Amino acid sequence: MTDAAPIKAKRTRKAAEPATKAKAATPAVKPAPRAKATTPVAAARPEPTGLRLRYRNEAVPALQREFRYPNSMQVPRLDKVVVNIGLGEAIQNAKAIDAAVRDLTIITGQKPIVTRATRSIAQFRLRTGMPIGAKVTLRGQRMYDFLERTMRLALPRIRDFRGVPTRSFDGRGNFSLGFREQLVYPEIDYDSIDRLRGFEISIVTTARNDEEGRRLLELLGMPFSTTN
């Protein structure tokens, strides 16, 4: 009985060895590598076209050479264009606001805002908050596209057009231009309007004086009159 005990122990150890080897032979599963965090790439700005390209390639070098700016960032540029319609008739005809908003949207490609009276005037039957006009403020590429269509399409359609007068500068390089009717823009259909309405275009620049502002608009193609 004393000799059987060691033999039994040996058999038990040998029987346990294959299980240990089989366990060690099982390959370990490696965890999947973590995906690297990617930073969002900023969208590239579209290349300038039309009038904006002309400003960069022609107007900037010419203005820097003519006025001797030490830095190209000092060259005057267009800041914004404001198109404004005054509607005194809206006091009696509320539908005039809707018609003016529709015309401005077609002309500029941007929804205008309605301007309202800031104070009451009894003799004009005007109360504070009443709608009296509409305006659109254009910036960026849309501003350059609108100004290009104005100079190349709208102004030549004016009857007996002989150039834009130069007396409408405000002394700080900003220029205002008035139109008597919205039909000068080919986008407006004559049969779709209720009446002719005049409007004003204000071109705001970063020029320091009228001389720089006028030269900037000349280089962009504004057909100024030579008689005044």
PDB file of all heavy atoms in Angstrom, residues 58-76 219:
ATOM      1  N   GLU A  58      -5.744  93.762 -60.595  1.00  0.00           N
ATOM      2  CA  GLU A  58      -5.513  95.020 -61.290  1.00  0.00           C
ATOM      3  C   GLU A  58      -5.590  96.242 -60.370  1.00  0.00           C
ATOM      4  O   GLU A  58      -4.704  97.096 -60.393  1.00  0.00           O
ATOM      5  CB  GLU A  58      -6.523  95.177 -62.436  1.00  0.00           C
ATOM      6  CG  GLU A  58      -6.452  94.082 -63.484  1.00  0.00           C
ATOM      7  CD  GLU A  58      -7.467  94.272 -64.593  1.00  0.00           C
ATOM      8  OE1 GLU A  58      -8.013  95.397 -64.703  1.00  0.00           O
ATOM      9  OE2 GLU A  58      -7.736  93.312 -65.339  1.00  0.00           O
ATOM     10  N   ALA A  59      -6.649  96.311 -59.563  1.00  0.00           N
ATOM     11  CA  ALA A  59      -6.855  97.511 -58.757  1.00  0.00           C
ATOM     12  C   ALA A  59      -5.827  97.642 -57.638  1.00  0.00           C
ATOM     13  O   ALA A  59      -5.293  98.739 -57.394  1.00  0.00           O
ATOM     14  CB  ALA A  59      -8.265  97.517 -58.178  1.00  0.00           C
ATOM     15  N   VAL A  60      -5.544  96.557 -56.941  1.00  0.00           N
ATOM     16  CA  VAL A  60      -4.606  96.631 -55.812  1.00  0.00           C
ATOM     17  C   VAL A  60      -3.212  97.069 -56.252  1.00  0.00           C
ATOM     18  O   VAL A  60      -2.637  98.002 -55.666  1.00  0.00           O
ATOM     19  CB  VAL A  60      -4.566  95.281 -55.061  1.00  0.00           C
ATOM     20  CG1 VAL A  60      -3.444  95.277 -54.033  1.00  0.00           C
ATOM     21  CG2 VAL A  60      -5.896  95.025 -54.372  1.00  0.00           C
ATOM     22  N   PRO A  61      -2.593  96.460 -57.278  1.00  0.00           N
ATOM     23  CA  PRO A  61      -1.263  96.951 -57.695  1.00  0.00           C
ATOM     24  C   PRO A  61      -1.281  98.388 -58.192  1.00  0.00           C
ATOM     25  O   PRO A  61      -0.353  99.160 -57.910  1.00  0.00           O
ATOM     26  CB  PRO A  61      -0.875  95.974 -58.814  1.00  0.00           C
ATOM     27  CG  PRO A  61      -1.696  94.761 -58.580  1.00  0.00           C
ATOM     28  CD  PRO A  61      -2.988  95.256 -58.028  1.00  0.00           C
ATOM     29  N   ALA A  62      -2.346  98.780 -58.927  1.00  0.00           N
ATOM     30  CA  ALA A  62      -2.409 100.144 -59.453  1.00  0.00           C
ATOM     31  C   ALA A  62      -2.553 101.172 -58.329  1.00  0.00           C
ATOM     32  O   ALA A  62      -1.888 102.213 -58.335  1.00  0.00           O
ATOM     33  CB  ALA A  62      -3.562 100.265 -60.444  1.00  0.00           C
ATOM     34  N   LEU A  63      -3.417 100.904 -57.339  1.00  0.00           N
ATOM     35  CA  LEU A  63      -3.597 101.835 -56.223  1.00  0.00           C
ATOM     36  C   LEU A  63      -2.343 101.918 -55.357  1.00  0.00           C
ATOM     37  O   LEU A  63      -1.967 103.014 -54.905  1.00  0.00           O
ATOM     38  CB  LEU A  63      -4.791 101.389 -55.375  1.00  0.00           C
ATOM     39  CG  LEU A  63      -6.173 101.568 -56.002  1.00  0.00           C
ATOM     40  CD1 LEU A  63      -7.232 100.870 -55.159  1.00  0.00           C
ATOM     41  CD2 LEU A  63      -6.516 103.043 -56.163  1.00  0.00           C
ATOM     42  N   GLN A  64      -1.687 100.811 -55.140  1.00  0.00           N
ATOM     43  CA  GLN A  64      -0.472 100.825 -54.320  1.00  0.00           C
ATOM     44  C   GLN A  64       0.647 101.590 -55.014  1.00  0.00           C
ATOM     45  O   GLN A  64       1.435 102.293 -54.362  1.00  0.00           O
ATOM     46  CB  GLN A  64      -0.028  99.387 -54.026  1.00  0.00           C
ATOM     47  CG  GLN A  64       1.081  99.290 -52.988  1.00  0.00           C
ATOM     48  CD  GLN A  64       1.330  97.859 -52.563  1.00  0.00           C
ATOM     49  OE1 GLN A  64       0.727  96.925 -53.094  1.00  0.00           O
ATOM     50  NE2 GLN A  64       2.216  97.671 -51.601  1.00  0.00           N
ATOM     51  N   ARG A  65       0.706 101.492 -56.308  1.00  0.00           N
ATOM     52  CA  ARG A  65       1.734 102.220 -57.058  1.00  0.00           C
ATOM     53  C   ARG A  65       1.394 103.705 -57.161  1.00  0.00           C
ATOM     54  O   ARG A  65       2.288 104.560 -57.059  1.00  0.00           O
ATOM     55  CB  ARG A  65       1.854 101.608 -58.464  1.00  0.00           C
ATOM     56  CG  ARG A  65       2.933 102.233 -59.319  1.00  0.00           C
ATOM     57  CD  ARG A  65       3.086 101.468 -60.615  1.00  0.00           C
ATOM     58  NE  ARG A  65       1.841 101.371 -61.368  1.00  0.00           N
ATOM     59  CZ  ARG A  65       1.106 100.255 -61.472  1.00  0.00           C
ATOM     60  NH1 ARG A  65       1.495  99.153 -60.859  1.00  0.00           N
ATOM     61  NH2 ARG A  65      -0.006 100.263 -62.187  1.00  0.00           N
ATOM     62  N   GLU A  66       0.115 104.038 -57.321  1.00  0.00           N
ATOM     63  CA  GLU A  66      -0.280 105.434 -57.512  1.00  0.00           C
ATOM     64  C   GLU A  66      -0.229 106.240 -56.218  1.00  0.00           C
ATOM     65  O   GLU A  66       0.237 107.385 -56.213  1.00  0.00           O
ATOM     66  CB  GLU A  66      -1.688 105.478 -58.110  1.00  0.00           C
ATOM     67  CG  GLU A  66      -2.180 106.884 -58.435  1.00  0.00           C
ATOM     68  CD  GLU A  66      -3.509 106.853 -59.163  1.00  0.00           C
ATOM     69  OE1 GLU A  66      -3.895 105.781 -59.665  1.00  0.00           O
ATOM     70  OE2 GLU A  66      -4.166 107.919 -59.228  1.00  0.00           O
ATOM     71  N   PHE A  67      -0.706 105.648 -55.115  1.00  0.00           N
ATOM     72  CA  PHE A  67      -0.748 106.377 -53.842  1.00  0.00           C
ATOM     73  C   PHE A  67       0.407 106.008 -52.905  1.00  0.00           C
ATOM     74  O   PHE A  67       0.466 106.510 -51.786  1.00  0.00           O
ATOM     75  CB  PHE A  67      -2.088 106.113 -53.139  1.00  0.00           C
ATOM     76  CG  PHE A  67      -3.276 106.688 -53.866  1.00  0.00           C
ATOM     77  CD1 PHE A  67      -4.049 105.896 -54.704  1.00  0.00           C
ATOM     78  CD2 PHE A  67      -3.620 108.025 -53.719  1.00  0.00           C
ATOM     79  CE1 PHE A  67      -5.141 106.418 -55.379  1.00  0.00           C
ATOM     80  CE2 PHE A  67      -4.709 108.558 -54.382  1.00  0.00           C
ATOM     81  CZ  PHE A  67      -5.477 107.752 -55.229  1.00  0.00           C
ATOM     82  N   ARG A  68       1.284 105.123 -53.373  1.00  0.00           N
ATOM     83  CA  ARG A  68       2.513 104.770 -52.654  1.00  0.00           C
ATOM     84  C   ARG A  68       2.234 104.251 -51.243  1.00  0.00           C
ATOM     85  O   ARG A  68       2.783 104.745 -50.255  1.00  0.00           O
ATOM     86  CB  ARG A  68       3.467 105.966 -52.593  1.00  0.00           C
ATOM     87  CG  ARG A  68       3.910 106.458 -53.973  1.00  0.00           C
ATOM     88  CD  ARG A  68       4.837 107.643 -53.866  1.00  0.00           C
ATOM     89  NE  ARG A  68       5.245 108.107 -55.190  1.00  0.00           N
ATOM     90  CZ  ARG A  68       6.058 109.149 -55.407  1.00  0.00           C
ATOM     91  NH1 ARG A  68       6.547 109.826 -54.351  1.00  0.00           N
ATOM     92  NH2 ARG A  68       6.379 109.509 -56.631  1.00  0.00           N
ATOM     93  N   TYR A  69       1.377 103.260 -51.174  1.00  0.00           N
ATOM     94  CA  TYR A  69       1.127 102.617 -49.891  1.00  0.00           C
ATOM     95  C   TYR A  69       2.295 101.693 -49.550  1.00  0.00           C
ATOM     96  O   TYR A  69       2.693 100.867 -50.380  1.00  0.00           O
ATOM     97  CB  TYR A  69      -0.169 101.796 -49.930  1.00  0.00           C
ATOM     98  CG  TYR A  69      -1.405 102.614 -50.190  1.00  0.00           C
ATOM     99  CD1 TYR A  69      -2.109 102.466 -51.383  1.00  0.00           C
ATOM    100  CD2 TYR A  69      -1.882 103.514 -49.252  1.00  0.00           C
ATOM    101  CE1 TYR A  69      -3.256 103.209 -51.624  1.00  0.00           C
ATOM    102  CE2 TYR A  69      -3.025 104.260 -49.489  1.00  0.00           C
ATOM    103  CZ  TYR A  69      -3.705 104.105 -50.671  1.00  0.00           C
ATOM    104  OH  TYR A  69      -4.825 104.835 -50.913  1.00  0.00           O
ATOM    105  N   PRO A  70       2.850 101.796 -48.351  1.00  0.00           N
ATOM    106  CA  PRO A  70       3.964 100.890 -48.003  1.00  0.00           C
ATOM    107  C   PRO A  70       3.513  99.448 -47.808  1.00  0.00           C
ATOM    108  O   PRO A  70       4.320  98.524 -47.931  1.00  0.00           O
ATOM    109  CB  PRO A  70       4.503 101.472 -46.688  1.00  0.00           C
ATOM    110  CG  PRO A  70       3.355 102.245 -46.113  1.00  0.00           C
ATOM    111  CD  PRO A  70       2.578 102.762 -47.285  1.00  0.00           C
ATOM    112  N   ASN A  71       2.238  99.246 -47.518  1.00  0.00           N
ATOM    113  CA  ASN A  71       1.723  97.900 -47.267  1.00  0.00           C
ATOM    114  C   ASN A  71       0.479  97.699 -48.110  1.00  0.00           C
ATOM    115  O   ASN A  71      -0.377  98.584 -48.220  1.00  0.00           O
ATOM    116  CB  ASN A  71       1.383  97.733 -45.775  1.00  0.00           C
ATOM    117  CG  ASN A  71       1.113  96.287 -45.412  1.00  0.00           C
ATOM    118  OD1 ASN A  71       0.747  95.473 -46.256  1.00  0.00           O
ATOM    119  ND2 ASN A  71       1.294  95.966 -44.142  1.00  0.00           N
ATOM    120  N   SER A  72       0.349  96.509 -48.703  1.00  0.00           N
ATOM    121  CA  SER A  72      -0.812  96.232 -49.546  1.00  0.00           C
ATOM    122  C   SER A  72      -2.117  96.206 -48.753  1.00  0.00           C
ATOM    123  O   SER A  72      -3.198  96.369 -49.321  1.00  0.00           O
ATOM    124  CB  SER A  72      -0.626  94.887 -50.263  1.00  0.00           C
ATOM    125  OG  SER A  72      -0.500  93.836 -49.328  1.00  0.00           O
ATOM    126  N   MET A  73      -2.042  96.007 -47.426  1.00  0.00           N
ATOM    127  CA  MET A  73      -3.246  95.995 -46.608  1.00  0.00           C
ATOM    128  C   MET A  73      -3.845  97.396 -46.439  1.00  0.00           C
ATOM    129  O   MET A  73      -4.983  97.536 -45.992  1.00  0.00           O
ATOM    130  CB  MET A  73      -2.955  95.406 -45.227  1.00  0.00           C
ATOM    131  CG  MET A  73      -2.473  93.972 -45.260  1.00  0.00           C
ATOM    132  SD  MET A  73      -3.679  92.862 -46.016  1.00  0.00           S
ATOM    133  CE  MET A  73      -4.979  92.924 -44.791  1.00  0.00           C
ATOM    134  N   GLN A  74      -3.083  98.446 -46.790  1.00  0.00           N
ATOM    135  CA  GLN A  74      -3.590  99.815 -46.717  1.00  0.00           C
ATOM    136  C   GLN A  74      -4.372 100.223 -47.958  1.00  0.00           C
ATOM    137  O   GLN A  74      -4.980 101.284 -47.976  1.00  0.00           O
ATOM    138  CB  GLN A  74      -2.425 100.788 -46.507  1.00  0.00           C
ATOM    139  CG  GLN A  74      -1.712 100.627 -45.175  1.00  0.00           C
ATOM    140  CD  GLN A  74      -0.532 101.578 -45.045  1.00  0.00           C
ATOM    141  OE1 GLN A  74       0.243 101.777 -45.993  1.00  0.00           O
ATOM    142  NE2 GLN A  74      -0.399 102.201 -43.884  1.00  0.00           N
ATOM    143  N   VAL A  75      -4.370  99.388 -48.972  1.00  0.00           N
ATOM    144  CA  VAL A  75      -5.070  99.715 -50.215  1.00  0.00           C
ATOM    145  C   VAL A  75      -6.579  99.742 -49.947  1.00  0.00           C
ATOM    146  O   VAL A  75      -7.120  98.826 -49.306  1.00  0.00           O
ATOM    147  CB  VAL A  75      -4.738  98.674 -51.299  1.00  0.00           C
ATOM    148  CG1 VAL A  75      -5.527  98.954 -52.571  1.00  0.00           C
ATOM    149  CG2 VAL A  75      -3.243  98.677 -51.585  1.00  0.00           C
ATOM    150  N   PRO A  76      -7.301 100.781 -50.398  1.00  0.00           N
ATOM    151  CA  PRO A  76      -8.757 100.843 -50.181  1.00  0.00           C
ATOM    152  C   PRO A  76      -9.459  99.647 -50.818  1.00  0.00           C
ATOM    153  O   PRO A  76      -9.047  99.133 -51.864  1.00  0.00           O
ATOM    154  CB  PRO A  76      -9.170 102.151 -50.849  1.00  0.00           C
ATOM    155  CG  PRO A  76      -7.925 102.959 -50.922  1.00  0.00           C
ATOM    156  CD  PRO A  76      -6.796 101.987 -51.077  1.00  0.00           C
ATOM    157  N   LEU A 219     -11.133 102.003 -61.238  1.00  0.00           N
ATOM    158  CA  LEU A 219     -10.394 100.793 -61.596  1.00  0.00           C
ATOM    159  C   LEU A 219     -11.292  99.566 -61.635  1.00  0.00           C
ATOM    160  O   LEU A 219     -10.992  98.593 -62.327  1.00  0.00           O
ATOM    161  CB  LEU A 219      -9.247 100.580 -60.601  1.00  0.00           C
ATOM    162  CG  LEU A 219      -8.119 101.605 -60.675  1.00  0.00           C
ATOM    163  CD1 LEU A 219      -7.139 101.413 -59.527  1.00  0.00           C
ATOM    164  CD2 LEU A 219      -7.384 101.502 -62.017  1.00  0.00           C
TER     165      LEU A 219
END
